[in-house]
Amino acid sequence: MAAPDPATARAAVYEGPGRLTVRDFPLPELGPGDMLVAVELAGVDGSEVHMFRGEIAAIDAIAPVVFGDEILGRVQAIGAQAAARRGLKPGDRVVVEARWPCADCRPCREGNYYLCDHRWEKGGYGWMRADAPPHLWGGYATHVFVPADALVYPVDADLPAETALVACSVLANSIYWTRTAGIGLGDPVAVIGPGPQGIGAALVAQLRGADVVLAGLPRDAARLALARDLGVTRTVVLDGGDGAAQLRAALGQDPAVVIETAGAQPAKDLALAAVRTGGRVVNCSVPPGPLSVDFTAVLLKQVTMQSPLAHPHTVPEALRLGQVLRARGQDVGRMVSHVFALDQAEEAVRTAGYETPESPVKVAIRP
Amino acid sequence: MAAPDPATARAAVYEGPGRLTVRDFPLPELGPGDMLVAVELAGVDGSEVHMFRGEIAAIDAIAPVVFGDEILGRVQAIGAQAAARRGLKPGDRVVVEARWPCADCRPCREGNYYLCDHRWEKGGYGWMRADAPPHLWGGYATHVFVPADALVYPVDADLPAETALVACSVLANSIYWTRTAGIGLGDPVAVIGPGPQGIGAALVAQLRGADVVLAGLPRDAARLALARDLGVTRTVVLDGGDGAAQLRAALGQDPAVVIETAGAQPAKDLALAAVRTGGRVVNCSVPPGPLSVDFTAVLLKQVTMQSPLAHPHTVPEALRLGQVLRARGQDVGRMVSHVFALDQAEEAVRTAGYETPESPVKVAIRP
Amino acid sequence: MAAPDPATARAAVYEGPGRLTVRDFPLPELGPGDMLVAVELAGVDGSEVHMFRGEIAAIDAIAPVVFGDEILGRVQAIGAQAAARRGLKPGDRVVVEARWPCADCRPCREGNYYLCDHRWEKGGYGWMRADAPPHLWGGYATHVFVPADALVYPVDADLPAETALVACSVLANSIYWTRTAGIGLGDPVAVIGPGPQGIGAALVAQLRGADVVLAGLPRDAARLALARDLGVTRTVVLDGGDGAAQLRAALGQDPAVVIETAGAQPAKDLALAAVRTGGRVVNCSVPPGPLSVDFTAVLLKQVTMQSPLAHPHTVPEALRLGQVLRARGQDVGRMVSHVFALDQAEEAVRTAGYETPESPVKVAIRP
Amino acid sequence: MAAPDPATARAAVYEGPGRLTVRDFPLPELGPGDMLVAVELAGVDGSEVHMFRGEIAAIDAIAPVVFGDEILGRVQAIGAQAAARRGLKPGDRVVVEARWPCADCRPCREGNYYLCDHRWEKGGYGWMRADAPPHLWGGYATHVFVPADALVYPVDADLPAETALVACSVLANSIYWTRTAGIGLGDPVAVIGPGPQGIGAALVAQLRGADVVLAGLPRDAARLALARDLGVTRTVVLDGGDGAAQLRAALGQDPAVVIETAGAQPAKDLALAAVRTGGRVVNCSVPPGPLSVDFTAVLLKQVTMQSPLAHPHTVPEALRLGQVLRARGQDVGRMVSHVFALDQAEEAVRTAGYETPESPVKVAIRP
């Protein structure tokens, strides 16, 4: 982390399709409940790739926006009330979560603030106007502003930054998704797509005692090798033939749950073809457009399709799992394949979007 | 019920696409565990419509087949073991269920014999070769053969045949589907499609304490009127505008569950558009081909799509509900709009398939 | 509601065992998020009976305390922020809930603020020191102070006060308890104890489609008659013989769920003896001391014992049910058998505790 | 396994309290669906200890009875139908389960044959009259008779007998109990009582990703050491002080689930005192008499008490887990501390009942 001018922050601001510029902002005034966090490492994920390409009209409507909703940092300044309530002090290491509950709506009351009724107006990190104070609402920055309501979690000082970053995003998702799917001891589970999320889901399903296979395409060889290296016990390369038969052969039976993280029509078809009668398909991908589903076939197998979003209330457990896995020699931080400086934010997003010659797994920005 | 030749049965046999002929068969020899049931009323449903049109290759592969998997009748003869185990005697009124459990497979062990691993080979009523003894494996017949393993339920002598028939098929489905959807007290529920199954699902959801609206098209006016007459408290005619807004207006909030019984793309689109965040869409229809789904929209609302099949273990409760509703003046037997003689079986199927000028709700055959 | 001195409130204050005195307090200063509610009707329940007798050491430790945690009233004054956020204005009718969530603990995050980790220090209505401003933390008073965090629900102007009061307490409990027990359509359910809570549980179980019997002792004849009058379809007087056999006879089968609201050893014994294998016993009573349980018998029947507390997030649905039932001629407000003025608060508590010749069902105070 | 007289079996027969005699029986005639299994190893558990002492009147009513309901063996002879349906042949290694489903009752239909409505009349291994053919209904014997309906599972030839025996009984219970308790990834779990079942429950909870502590008394030091050796990560010796505080200290938080396998009042008290608000206490013990429960305290914490019985449908998964754990160096077969010959069956039972100077963990008989 570069030592910043004590009174100035820098941030990579999305100005509109294809334009990501680094700007200076004054550090915000902090109220008694507020906090300022100096960013240590910020994640780049698919949402920014889509936004950068101009595919999300809602973000263009509120641009300029500081990108970044996966945020690890250290408390730089903190109001008295925030310090008391959060039990934090300057220098403490924290994860700042992308969204937080409102006080009023049904989804928040039920514990799922990623579905907040007011989410589109309310926003969150990486989804706020940057043209008014406190400006610093994104992780692609030297600092982020943290209001009283935001969710913040302490991070062990000895946890590598990459590990913490992957835990608080990828593993946090995996915990929620595998719990939603009801994955338990001995369940046969197939995960399609060996990106960070597929690898994470496979690892967390294994921690639940499931019998897991992770499937990828021939071009995913390096990712599948990384997955095995991180402890995924079984991987399979889909050879273009009968993918369901390949998954059945790997598991010794049809999967009770298929977690689909690839988002393409063949992946969805495979998921529905492979899952056993009465089983569940977990849709974790953001396909580029509508997909086709044979609902008669789905009915004859009585398949349930679930689409769990994000990771309400799972970050603390995810950080714990990051430590547990690391202690076993399975450091999920190794998924971070590329780290860029803040000035290279645009290249970071392009790399994450496969627009460069690189083959990234997880991309991050170190401001 | 016509008094049959004591030694001969008659049955409507599907010979192949478009051909349904009435044939005589010898009454079968009964083993000690077997039973012969004289059919009182048999239901015609969509499966026979599709099969008759030649759309189901698997049935053509085993034809000739006696159609009919919704069966109400009276015990005509019963083996000694069957009498002892079932507590039945000649003259007792019964429903014979379409399928029954095997002893070995996982779905049957878990209580869901409609998903039996051996279902395609094993068959059931309306899905068995008729060219070998005991021949009588379908409800479109004067008699059906009932082996030791088949599921049979007693029916009150005073329950009208039409009520019992609708209960053991339509209500039995509704019980399972609404339970799968977790519909409970006060839940806002929308049902799309006012066919027998839509009306049944609306009534059973109401019995669970849900707040229900049943939606149809302008051409469904008579069905919606019947639904209201049977006790569905709220119906809405979709006017081609914003259907989700119409459902919201009717319920005072977005539905937590949408039960989709229509099977067309606009119905599926409406279901996914209308359901609230975190809600469930229950797919109960058999669309003619694949449908399109915007999985990104599904993910952003975290919608779960369920596809419950048939009605494992719910017939006894369905028969009870038929009585309960009837006692309240809500006789579901009134859904039976057309009854045909056995010789008119082909016309019955064509009527159910809307190939005649009639506007049927539920069609039945009285042999 | 008596017209109070515009600047003074009156409240019945628990000073210590056996002492309940009516005192004047200044009306509190309201901050922008606060509200003042003029009490229309307040409920007396078992908790105050126990506290008044000096059986709850924790309340003696913080006395003086204004009693009363079931509160119906009208907004008398409201801060600007509260008005905006709550959508309320002076004159609006509301229920004020006894407890509310904190922002930090696990149970509150999971939606169950009655189990808040900080509940004993934090308190709530009827459980706060009265010797410091704003003093007015209880329903046995002309006014209650309502801070920004408290939970408040609008009440229809045409709902009788007694109906609203019983709904927001008794029915609200019943909704949570029957949901916790997983009571659904067709389930055989026995409720032991025809007090307000037993009657409420029976009614709400019926609304869920359950098949219910409500059991009482010979001395409960009037309560059982009231229950039938309110729509409970089946009641039984336990005659001192085989109670389990009586419940079985009433239901035609063993109950899947027994809701035990009586709190005596014979009631608990009956609940465990009557419930079917694999069933659930719901403990909703506060027995005077430890009870004896034969865990070997419980294990051989695999009985689950649940103890749901209070009514997190169910008041709005309860108020709706109060209206629904009333529209069917089942006005739960009829459970309010005795209403006292504020000056008679002590007599109200003694009446609720059966220390007078009266046979109360539900007791209330109209300040 | 001793080579038996080809036409004669030997079995240890319970004749009445304190009397266990070894008798010869003719080998039974096998029907086409039957099977004869030569016993390799049979488990001794608490049920036989209680029966031997004359504490179970129901068993005295049907004595003589061949004891033994945990049975590992090899197919010695098999009828043609049984061979076809089971896919077994002489020499194959199998576990024979104690109970099996009937075709008719609700609990069996729901998949829980240990709760079969007919269980007391129907019996099972170790619970059948020995005075009529086929006599051989217990594992304390050279051979057991296996009818068509009994549940039999194949066992890998390379799995040590002790491992298979502990898996099919102890681990099979643990799978069902921990699943009933809903134990999942990251859940803090306390297990009270380091007997075979406590150790097994701790290991299986860990396989589900739970954070587990196993608690015992000072006299349990050797068992706790064995538990750690088998892979239980954390154990605590209850020192007679505040046990709940000890469990909290070990876990870093209160347990969400307490599995109580000890069966004494102090253990039950500790379970209820230690479990967190909203948590579950799993009663897996058979206490000698009724225990006392403070239901008010249980209600204020909203504790659910569960009592899962035996292990319906979990033996195959248990055998798999036995292999999985063994491959990790955690061989649960090491819990078998004492093995006796068939002629020593009485000493085996007395040892399991702590009537000898031995300190057994798990006792077995090798006929």
Side-chain angles (χ1 to χ4, degrees):
Chain A
M1 180 176 49
D5 171 339
T8 308
R10 303 196 74 209
V13 181
Y14 173 74
E15 312 277 1
R19 285 181 296 135
L20 196 58
T21 61
V22 178
R23 290 208 233 163
D24 287 343
F25 291 101
L27 289 182
E29 299 287 315
L30 298 187
D34 300 332
M35 193 160 76
L36 185 71
V37 166
V39 179
E40 184 180 350
L41 198 65
V44 176
D45 66 18
S47 62
E48 288 116 20
V49 171
H50 292 291
M51 292 191 287
F52 182 70
R53 290 178 183 157
E55 293 169 9
I56 315 286
I59 200 74
D60 291 339
I62 61 168
V65 167
V66 181
F67 269 5
D69 62 357
E70 301 172 2
I71 306 166
L72 172 73
R74 286 179 193 277
V75 177
Q76 176 157 323
I78 185 165
Q81 279 179 19
R85 192 175 70 82
R86 298 192 185 269
L88 291 173
K89 61 182 186 310
D92 283 350
R93 215 170 172 214
V94 292
V95 158
V96 181
E97 190 168 358
R99 299 286 181 279
W100 53 89
C102 79
D104 292 312
C105 81
R106 178 188 55 78
C108 286
R109 214 157 51 222
E110 293 172 355
N112 196 336
Y113 45 92
Y114 283 95
L115 300 178
C116 177
D117 282 348
H118 312 298
R119 61 183 151 159
W120 302 114
E121 317 87 77
K122 187 171 170 268
Y125 290 98
W127 194 282
M128 292 280 232
R129 311 189 71 94
D131 50 5
H135 306 292
L136 302 172
W137 289 108
Y140 290 21
T142 54
H143 299 79
V144 296
F145 172 78
V146 181
D149 291 342
L151 297 175
V152 172
Y153 309 95
V155 178
D156 289 351
D158 71 338
L159 194 67
E162 289 79 3
T163 312
L165 185 73
V166 172
C168 80
S169 54
V170 173
L171 293 187
N173 280 338
S174 299
I175 293 169
Y176 183 57
W177 301 352
T178 55
R179 187 174 70 210
T180 300
I183 291 173
L185 184 61
D187 288 344
V189 173
V191 180
I192 300 177
Q197 202 51 68
I199 299 172
L203 288 173
V204 175
Q206 287 183 180
L207 287 171
R208 293 186 184 277
D211 201 33
V212 177
V213 63
L214 173 64
L217 297 174
R219 68 176 184 229
D220 295 319
R223 290 171 171 227
L224 290 168
L226 173 64
R228 283 190 304 273
D229 218 38
L230 285 173
V232 175
T233 49
R234 213 178 293 132
T235 63
V236 66
V237 178
L238 298 167
D239 60 12
D242 183 343
Q246 285 190 272
L247 298 179
R248 183 185 312 122
L251 292 168
Q253 60 182 310
D254 290 328
V257 177
V258 181
I259 299 178
E260 197 278 281
T261 73
Q265 184 73 49
K268 200 68 80 190
D269 290 346
L270 172 56
L272 290 169
V275 71
R276 77 183 186 194
T277 52
R280 282 147 279 149
V281 168
V282 187
N283 303 298
C284 303
S285 54
V286 179
L291 300 179
S292 170
V293 174
D294 179 349
F295 279 98
T296 301
V298 168
L299 178 66
L300 285 174
K301 292 212 300 187
Q302 192 167 307
V303 176
T304 299
M305 286 185 272
Q306 303 179 306
S307 294
L309 181 67
H311 49 261
H313 292 307
T314 62
V315 170
E317 173 67 5
L319 290 167
R320 191 187 74 87
L321 288 189
Q323 280 284 34
V324 165
L325 287 168
R326 188 164 161 262
R328 298 183 187 173
Q330 303 171 265
D331 185 351
V332 294
R334 293 176 53 205
M335 286 194 224
V336 178
S337 58
H338 293 72
V339 179
F340 293 88
L342 185 56
D343 289 341
Q344 300 167 298
E346 184 176 326
E347 191 177 344
V349 174
R350 292 194 188 277
T351 301
Y354 307 109
E355 299 176 14
T356 74
E358 297 297 303
S359 293
V361 181
K362 176 79 184 168
V363 175
I365 291 174
R366 181 171 288 121
Chain B
M1 181 175 50
D5 171 339
T8 308
R10 304 197 73 210
V13 181
Y14 173 73
E15 312 278 1
R19 286 181 295 135
L20 197 58
T21 60
V22 178
R23 291 210 234 161
D24 287 343
F25 290 101
L27 288 182
E29 299 288 316
L30 296 189
D34 300 333
M35 193 161 77
L36 186 72
V37 165
V39 179
E40 183 179 349
L41 198 65
V44 177
D45 67 16
S47 61
E48 288 117 19
V49 171
H50 292 291
M51 292 192 286
F52 182 70
R53 289 177 184 159
E55 294 169 8
I56 315 286
I59 200 75
D60 291 337
I62 62 168
V65 167
V66 181
F67 269 5
D69 63 357
E70 301 173 1
I71 306 166
L72 173 72
R74 286 179 193 278
V75 177
Q76 176 159 320
I78 184 164
Q81 278 179 17
R85 193 175 70 83
R86 297 190 186 271
L88 290 174
K89 60 182 187 308
D92 283 350
R93 212 165 174 222
V94 292
V95 158
V96 182
E97 191 169 356
R99 299 287 181 278
W100 54 89
C102 79
D104 292 313
C105 81
R106 178 188 54 78
C108 286
R109 212 157 51 221
E110 293 173 355
N112 195 337
Y113 43 93
Y114 283 95
L115 299 179
C116 177
D117 282 348
H118 312 299
R119 61 184 150 156
W120 302 114
E121 316 89 77
K122 186 169 170 268
Y125 290 98
W127 194 283
M128 292 279 231
R129 312 189 69 95
D131 50 6
H135 305 292
L136 302 172
W137 289 107
Y140 289 22
T142 53
H143 300 78
V144 296
F145 172 78
V146 181
D149 291 342
L151 296 176
V152 173
Y153 309 95
V155 178
D156 289 352
D158 71 338
L159 195 65
E162 289 79 3
T163 313
L165 185 74
V166 172
C168 79
S169 54
V170 172
L171 292 188
N173 280 337
S174 299
I175 292 169
Y176 184 57
W177 300 353
T178 56
R179 186 175 70 210
T180 300
I183 291 173
L185 184 60
D187 289 345
V189 173
V191 180
I192 300 177
Q197 202 51 68
I199 298 173
L203 287 173
V204 175
Q206 288 183 179
L207 287 172
R208 293 186 184 278
D211 201 33
V212 177
V213 62
L214 172 64
L217 298 174
R219 68 177 184 228
D220 296 319
R223 290 169 171 230
L224 291 168
L226 173 64
R228 284 190 304 273
D229 218 37
L230 285 173
V232 174
T233 49
R234 215 178 292 131
T235 62
V236 67
V237 178
L238 298 168
D239 60 12
D242 183 342
Q246 285 190 272
L247 298 179
R248 184 185 311 123
L251 292 169
Q253 61 182 310
D254 290 328
V257 176
V258 181
I259 299 178
E260 197 277 282
T261 72
Q265 184 73 50
K268 200 67 81 188
D269 290 345
L270 173 56
L272 290 168
V275 71
R276 77 182 188 195
T277 52
R280 281 146 280 151
V281 168
V282 187
N283 303 300
C284 304
S285 54
V286 180
L291 299 179
S292 169
V293 174
D294 179 348
F295 280 98
T296 301
V298 168
L299 177 67
L300 285 174
K301 292 213 300 189
Q302 191 166 308
V303 176
T304 298
M305 286 185 272
Q306 303 179 305
S307 293
L309 181 67
H311 48 260
H313 292 308
T314 62
V315 171
E317 173 66 7
L319 291 167
R320 190 186 74 88
L321 288 190
Q323 279 284 34
V324 165
L325 287 168
R326 187 163 162 263
R328 296 183 189 174
Q330 302 170 265
D331 185 350
V332 295
R334 293 177 51 206
M335 285 193 226
V336 178
S337 58
H338 293 71
V339 178
F340 293 88
L342 185 56
D343 289 341
Q344 300 167 298
E346 184 175 328
E347 191 177 344
V349 173
R350 291 192 190 279
T351 301
Y354 306 109
E355 299 176 15
T356 74
E358 297 297 303
S359 293
V361 181
K362 177 78 184 168
V363 175
I365 291 175
R366 181 171 287 121
Chain C
M1 181 177 49
D5 172 338
T8 309
R10 305 197 72 209
V13 181
Y14 173 74
E15 312 276 1
R19 286 181 295 134
L20 196 59
T21 61
V22 177
R23 289 209 234 162
D24 287 344
F25 290 101
L27 288 182
E29 298 287 316
L30 297 187
D34 300 333
M35 193 160 76
L36 186 71
V37 165
V39 179
E40 184 179 349
L41 199 65
V44 177
D45 67 18
S47 61
E48 289 116 20
V49 171
H50 291 291
M51 292 192 286
F52 182 70
R53 289 175 184 159
E55 294 168 9
I56 315 287
I59 201 74
D60 291 339
I62 62 167
V65 167
V66 181
F67 269 5
D69 63 357
E70 301 172 2
I71 305 165
L72 173 73
R74 285 179 193 277
V75 176
Q76 176 158 323
I78 184 164
Q81 279 179 17
R85 193 175 69 83
R86 298 191 186 270
L88 290 173
K89 61 182 185 309
D92 283 350
R93 215 169 172 216
V94 291
V95 159
V96 181
E97 190 168 358
R99 298 288 183 276
W100 53 88
C102 79
D104 292 312
C105 81
R106 178 188 54 79
C108 286
R109 214 158 47 221
E110 294 172 354
N112 195 337
Y113 44 93
Y114 283 95
L115 300 178
C116 176
D117 282 349
H118 312 297
R119 61 185 150 158
W120 302 115
E121 316 88 77
K122 187 169 170 268
Y125 290 97
W127 194 282
M128 292 280 232
R129 312 189 70 95
D131 50 6
H135 305 293
L136 301 172
W137 289 108
Y140 291 21
T142 54
H143 300 77
V144 296
F145 172 78
V146 181
D149 291 343
L151 296 176
V152 173
Y153 309 95
V155 178
D156 290 350
D158 70 339
L159 195 67
E162 289 79 2
T163 312
L165 185 74
V166 172
C168 79
S169 54
V170 173
L171 292 188
N173 281 337
S174 299
I175 292 169
Y176 184 58
W177 301 352
T178 55
R179 188 175 67 209
T180 300
I183 291 173
L185 183 61
D187 288 346
V189 172
V191 180
I192 301 177
Q197 202 51 68
I199 298 173
L203 287 173
V204 175
Q206 288 183 178
L207 286 172
R208 292 186 185 278
D211 201 34
V212 177
V213 62
L214 173 63
L217 298 174
R219 69 177 184 228
D220 296 318
R223 288 170 173 230
L224 290 168
L226 173 64
R228 283 191 303 272
D229 219 37
L230 286 173
V232 175
T233 49
R234 216 179 291 132
T235 62
V236 66
V237 178
L238 298 167
D239 61 12
D242 183 343
Q246 285 191 272
L247 297 179
R248 184 185 311 123
L251 292 169
Q253 60 182 312
D254 290 328
V257 176
V258 181
I259 298 178
E260 197 278 279
T261 73
Q265 184 72 49
K268 201 67 81 189
D269 291 346
L270 172 55
L272 290 169
V275 72
R276 76 182 186 194
T277 52
R280 283 146 279 151
V281 167
V282 187
N283 303 299
C284 304
S285 54
V286 180
L291 299 179
S292 170
V293 173
D294 178 349
F295 279 98
T296 301
V298 168
L299 178 66
L300 286 174
K301 293 213 300 189
Q302 191 166 306
V303 177
T304 298
M305 286 186 272
Q306 304 179 304
S307 294
L309 180 68
H311 49 261
H313 293 308
T314 61
V315 170
E317 173 67 6
L319 291 167
R320 191 187 73 89
L321 288 189
Q323 279 284 34
V324 165
L325 287 168
R326 187 162 162 265
R328 297 183 188 173
Q330 301 171 266
D331 185 351
V332 295
R334 294 177 52 205
M335 287 194 222
V336 177
S337 59
H338 292 72
V339 178
F340 293 88
L342 185 56
D343 289 342
Q344 299 168 300
E346 183 175 330
E347 190 176 345
V349 174
R350 292 194 189 278
T351 301
Y354 307 109
E355 298 177 15
T356 75
E358 297 298 304
S359 294
V361 182
K362 176 79 183 167
V363 175
I365 291 174
R366 182 172 285 121
Chain D
M1 179 176 51
D5 171 339
T8 308
R10 306 197 72 211
V13 181
Y14 173 74
E15 313 276 1
R19 286 181 295 134
L20 196 59
T21 61
V22 177
R23 290 210 235 162
D24 287 343
F25 290 101
L27 288 182
E29 298 288 317
L30 296 188
D34 300 332
M35 193 161 76
L36 186 72
V37 166
V39 178
E40 183 179 351
L41 198 64
V44 177
D45 67 17
S47 62
E48 288 117 18
V49 170
H50 291 291
M51 292 192 286
F52 182 70
R53 290 176 184 159
E55 294 169 10
I56 315 287
I59 200 75
D60 292 338
I62 62 167
V65 168
V66 181
F67 269 7
D69 63 356
E70 301 172 2
I71 305 165
L72 173 72
R74 285 180 194 276
V75 177
Q76 176 159 321
I78 184 165
Q81 277 179 19
R85 193 174 70 83
R86 297 190 186 273
L88 290 174
K89 61 182 185 309
D92 283 350
R93 213 168 173 218
V94 292
V95 159
V96 181
E97 190 168 358
R99 299 288 182 278
W100 54 88
C102 79
D104 291 313
C105 81
R106 179 188 53 79
C108 286
R109 212 157 50 221
E110 294 172 353
N112 195 336
Y113 44 93
Y114 283 95
L115 300 178
C116 177
D117 282 349
H118 312 298
R119 61 185 151 157
W120 302 115
E121 316 88 77
K122 187 169 171 268
Y125 290 97
W127 194 283
M128 292 280 231
R129 311 188 70 95
D131 50 8
H135 305 293
L136 302 172
W137 290 108
Y140 290 20
T142 54
H143 299 79
V144 296
F145 171 78
V146 181
D149 291 343
L151 296 175
V152 173
Y153 309 95
V155 177
D156 289 351
D158 70 338
L159 195 66
E162 289 80 3
T163 312
L165 185 74
V166 172
C168 79
S169 54
V170 173
L171 292 188
N173 280 338
S174 299
I175 292 169
Y176 184 57
W177 301 353
T178 56
R179 187 175 67 208
T180 299
I183 291 173
L185 183 62
D187 289 344
V189 172
V191 180
I192 301 177
Q197 201 51 68
I199 299 172
L203 288 174
V204 175
Q206 287 182 180
L207 286 172
R208 292 187 185 278
D211 201 34
V212 177
V213 63
L214 173 63
L217 298 174
R219 67 177 184 228
D220 295 319
R223 290 170 171 229
L224 291 168
L226 173 64
R228 283 191 304 272
D229 219 37
L230 285 173
V232 175
T233 49
R234 214 179 291 132
T235 62
V236 66
V237 178
L238 298 168
D239 62 11
D242 183 343
Q246 284 190 273
L247 297 179
R248 184 185 311 124
L251 292 168
Q253 60 182 311
D254 290 328
V257 176
V258 181
I259 298 178
E260 197 278 280
T261 72
Q265 184 73 50
K268 200 68 82 190
D269 291 346
L270 172 55
L272 290 168
V275 71
R276 77 181 186 195
T277 52
R280 282 146 279 151
V281 168
V282 187
N283 302 299
C284 303
S285 54
V286 179
L291 299 179
S292 170
V293 174
D294 178 348
F295 279 98
T296 301
V298 168
L299 177 66
L300 286 174
K301 292 212 301 189
Q302 192 168 306
V303 177
T304 298
M305 287 186 272
Q306 303 179 305
S307 293
L309 180 67
H311 49 261
H313 292 307
T314 62
V315 170
E317 173 67 5
L319 291 166
R320 190 186 74 89
L321 288 190
Q323 280 284 35
V324 165
L325 287 167
R326 186 163 163 264
R328 297 183 189 175
Q330 302 171 265
D331 185 350
V332 295
R334 293 177 53 205
M335 287 194 223
V336 177
S337 58
H338 293 71
V339 178
F340 294 88
L342 185 56
D343 288 341
Q344 299 167 299
E346 183 174 328
E347 191 177 344
V349 174
R350 291 195 189 278
T351 301
Y354 307 108
E355 298 176 16
T356 74
E358 298 297 303
S359 293
V361 182
K362 176 79 185 168
V363 175
I365 291 174
R366 182 173 286 121

